[in-house]
Amino acid sequence: MNFMNVFGIISIVLNILLIILIIIRSPNEQSLQENLAPFQLFESSTKAEESIDKLIRLLTVLYFILGIFYSLQKYF
């Protein structure tokens, strides 16, 4: 498996995770509680919102870093 294939796989997984988190992180608090209630991952919806927001920020930064690195690999 070459290096570019690994970038492609990581990019696909990162995109899927971002889409799922953005769908879960609805501006409607009621919707967030309904989506996460069966999993009982968080103590409250406020903590869930904070955790998901942090995770979205982290994944977005990783997405841009991966994009920059991928562009540099193609350039050189």
Side-chain angles (χ1 to χ4, degrees):
M1 189 179 255
N2 78 23
F3 202 57
M4 297 309 262
N5 287 341
V6 174
F7 273 133
I9 293 170
I10 291 172
S11 177
I12 290 169
V13 170
L14 194 59
N15 287 330
I16 291 170
L17 285 174
L18 272 170
I19 290 168
I20 290 170
L21 285 175
I22 290 170
I23 289 172
I24 289 174
R25 178 61 174 98
S26 169
N28 183 358
E29 190 172 320
Q30 183 74 20
S31 176
L32 180 65
Q33 290 173 353
E34 291 171 4
N35 290 335
L36 296 176
F39 302 112
Q40 295 193 1
L41 299 172
F42 304 99
E43 295 174 19
S44 68
S45 62
T46 305
K47 287 189 179 189
E49 287 177 7
E50 291 172 0
S51 298
I52 291 173
D53 287 344
K54 287 179 185 178
L55 192 55
I56 288 173
R57 283 191 293 264
L58 174 68
L59 290 176
T60 303
V61 168
L62 289 174
Y63 178 80
F64 282 112
I65 289 172
L66 185 66
I68 290 169
F69 195 66
Y70 185 71
S71 296
L72 290 175
Q73 285 290 328
K74 284 184 124 182
Y75 182 72
F76 292 109

